[in-house]
Amino acid sequence: MCGILFRLQLKKSLTNDSFHKELWNQLMILNNQRGPDSQGELFKSIQSQSSSLYTVYLTFFGAVLHLRGPSIVKQPLTDNDEEDVLLWNGEIFNGVEIPPGENDTKYLFAALKMSHNIENDNEEKNRILHILQSIEGPYAIIYWQSSKRRLWFGRDCLGRRSLLWNLHSEEDNFILTSVGCKISQMSESPYFAEVSANGIFYLDLDKMLSSTSWEPFNNFLVHYKWHGVNSPVNNDSSCILTLPFGKVNDTLPNPEDLPQLPASSDLSNSYIPSISLKIQDAIDRLIEELGDSVRRRIIDIPRVGSIQDARVAIMFSGGLDCICLAALADRYIPKEEAIDLLNVGFENPRIQQIKKNKKTNISYKDNSIYDVPDRLTGRQGVEELRKIAPNRKWNFVEVNVPFEEACTFKPKIIELMAPSDTIMDLSIAMAFWFAVRGKGQVTSLDDSEEIMIDYESKARVILVGVGADELLGGYSRHREAFKQHGWKKLIEEIQLDVDRISTRNLGRDDRIISSHSKESRFPYLASNVVSFLCSLPMYIKADMRYERGIGEKLLLRHVARQLGLFNASFLWKRAIQFGAKTAKMTNENNKEKGDMRVI
């Protein structure tokens, strides 16, 4: 994980530029928080051959969180003659060959530079696009290709790493950054926006420098969009990017594909639908594919600190998605190592006020005020994990957030999540920020008596269960689609969710989590997992004929039971803002809606 930051300035903008100097300093501070292990800055100037008006100044800044390889690879990364420059915020888990235990940044840089040996310009661009297309893993990249004076940049096709720009501001400064900051003197419209994850871009500085008059930066921007495996491509496009997974399988089930529903009297909350050979094969394959995804994301993490400190933590509500990740992580992390399970709960000021009004005795040292729904299912979940993996040290970290503390850090969280700016964004961002900070309590034995002691997670890698609901039919709108229009509408709704994963909230989540010098990893969004789940017929993944807690994410429920997680396999979907009760914290007057902007 890194904080990456870039600025392009025109010569005329270097004078009387106090605003941009202050902005740059703020952005460096925020990016430093993402990468505490190494920071570096590099300057370049490029003079036009025809006009001194368009001398441009390039500034590259990188802050590194060391998570790969035996030693830190400092950024910005340059070659011996300091011509090409790479800023890389990502992880290569597959696709580009990286020797075991090595750092991916330097191997990616070497692969990109190999494209310079190609004489044909389109073939050279295709080579760069092919490298970026081949990467299995999250990334945001900024790459200066000196020989062609092209500034390449972009995000992976699912948008798992943040990258912001100020492209549409009427200025002669162009900025790319992992995280933005509050800019009070600007208009109501955000100064920074998300760089779209629907393709890879380059800024053609060669063309810009040959221009005789100033033009907006987007006039010199080239955009290569992602295309589906079988999607048509414009005939005039010789360079293409192909998504690593196909469309959702739209096969409708035949009557013989579906098990007969039991009588309503037999359909209890713990009913288990029958498992055909085809479904059993899908269960085994999902355990294999998801297990491989988890393995690639947790091996070879450099140890920082004590041998007792966990290297991996999991955002843990005890729900179906995260508990399956925990059970699979147990297979690949050495048995003597701990795993941190981060569980967050917020004090609900309204409930406490009601109790006060009723003169109910309340002790604010009593952790029962944090027994939110996710805390209760989390405790149940860790007990199940302890049964299937009794030799593992599972640190169930109870992160308790008083109302006053939430209010104190609320402005900081609003700044970090920008340009995301809704009430729902804030409620989710607050849950992530406090959970990943990892300051809480764990249970310890003292003379055979359980006591709660203070604990702070040192894990730098955080596994997050995002993606399971989109791919496996976990949202209530999926059930409603099936209820209204059957299998066809359900498939369309799932396809819509898969299509918009890259435009949802992963950039926001990255900005929040990385502010603690930690990195989020999403095993359900690995290319092999997405491709496999998209290829399956819908009736194998979800069957909304069954009640809630049975039919949605049916395949994952079968996986949980095969992993020994029987109780968790029947839990309902519960969004984190409701499970941790942040929705009550951010919606203070109880009248605001989730899509309303934070004021």
Side-chain angles (χ1 to χ4, degrees), residues 130-384:
H130 176 74
I131 292 169
L132 299 179
Q133 171 187 292
S134 301
I135 294 171
E136 200 296 284
Y139 67 82
I141 186 173
I142 302 171
Y143 171 54
W144 170 245
Q145 185 187 10
S146 179
S147 61
K148 296 297 174 67
R149 298 205 285 195
R150 290 174 182 150
L151 183 79
W152 294 85
F153 61 95
R155 304 161 67 197
D156 69 86
C157 64
L158 293 175
R160 289 165 286 185
R161 290 291 174 260
S162 172
L163 191 63
L164 308 179
W165 62 4
N166 68 332
L167 178 67
H168 300 294
S169 63
E170 297 297 323
E171 298 185 9
D172 46 17
N173 277 254
F174 175 64
I175 296 174
L176 293 165
T177 179
S178 295
V179 59
C181 61
K182 186 176 182 181
I183 303 174
S184 57
Q185 70 183 72
M186 306 305 294
S187 64
E188 288 188 5
S189 60
Y191 184 74
F192 290 110
E194 296 265 14
V195 173
S196 173
N198 70 347
I200 300 297
F201 301 81
Y202 76 75
L203 192 63
D204 192 339
L205 268 68
D206 200 47
K207 183 178 178 182
M208 178 189 297
L209 289 166
S210 65
S211 177
T212 57
S213 61
W214 185 87
E215 297 180 46
F217 288 114
N218 57 5
N219 288 6
F220 307 105
L221 199 64
V222 179
H223 183 193
Y224 297 106
K225 293 186 178 181
W226 292 98
H227 294 273
V229 176
N230 297 312
S231 300
V233 179
N234 294 334
N235 293 329
D236 59 351
S237 177
S238 57
C239 302
I240 62 171
L241 285 165
T242 304
L243 289 169
F245 48 84
K247 291 287 188 180
V248 172
N249 188 325
D250 60 1
T251 302
L252 299 177
N254 296 314
E256 59 268 22
D257 294 323
L258 302 174
Q260 186 174 355
L261 291 176
S264 57
S265 58
D266 298 328
L267 195 57
S268 67
N269 290 335
S270 59
Y271 177 79
I272 301 176
S274 61
I275 298 175
S276 65
L277 291 175
K278 193 172 185 178
I279 292 175
Q280 184 59 56
D281 179 66
I283 295 169
D284 295 338
R285 277 286 309 281
L286 182 53
I287 291 175
E288 177 185 348
E289 298 289 352
L290 186 58
D292 181 67
S293 173
V294 170
R295 180 186 65 81
R296 292 177 183 275
R297 282 157 176 77
I298 60 178
I299 60 172
D300 295 332
I301 300 171
R303 180 171 296 285
V304 177
S306 167
I307 190 70
Q308 285 81 28
D309 292 335
R311 289 185 291 173
V312 174
I314 301 171
M315 286 283 291
F316 191 78
S317 65
L320 180 64
D321 310 343
C322 62
I323 201 170
C324 287
L325 296 183
L328 291 170
D330 175 66
R331 295 183 172 190
Y332 304 108
I333 294 175
K335 296 301 180 185
E336 66 275 11
E337 290 191 22
I339 297 176
D340 288 346
L341 306 175
L342 306 177
N343 181 279
V344 64
F346 288 73
E347 175 193 342
N348 186 334
R350 278 177 253 156
I351 290 178
Q352 304 313 320
Q353 187 61 49
I354 290 171
K355 289 181 179 180
K356 283 183 178 180
N357 293 340
K358 292 182 178 180
K359 298 183 178 180
T360 304
N361 290 328
I362 300 173
S363 169
Y364 281 86
K365 295 181 180 178
D366 182 0
N367 286 351
S368 65
I369 66 173
Y370 299 106
D371 283 350
V372 296
D374 278 1
R375 179 62 47 80
L376 302 179
T377 54
R379 288 174 183 153
Q380 295 168 4
V382 73
E383 289 308 312
E384 276 207 290

Side-chain angles (χ1 to χ4, degrees), residues 67 119 158 163 374 410 502 542 580:
L67 291 173
E119 293 184 4
L158 293 175
L163 191 63
D374 278 1
K410 181 177 174 180
S502 66

Side-chain angles (χ1 to χ4, degrees), residues 521-583:
R521 296 183 179 178
F522 308 99
Y524 288 102
L525 293 179
S527 298
N528 64 304
V529 177
V530 177
S531 181
F532 170 64
L533 290 175
C534 285
S535 73
L536 290 176
M538 184 57 61
Y539 66 88
I540 290 179
K541 296 179 288 189
D543 190 342
M544 302 303 182
R545 299 177 304 151
Y546 295 105
E547 296 297 320
R548 190 179 178 193
I550 301 175
E552 71 277 16
K553 295 191 286 193
L554 176 61
L555 179 59
L556 193 59
R557 296 182 188 280
H558 287 319
V559 164
R561 287 186 279 269
Q562 188 154 315
L563 294 173
L565 306 167
F566 186 82
N567 293 331
S569 72
F570 295 102
L571 292 176
W572 298 357
K573 161 70 180 176
R574 185 170 55 233
I576 190 171
Q577 64 267 33
F578 302 116
K581 294 299 182 184
T582 51

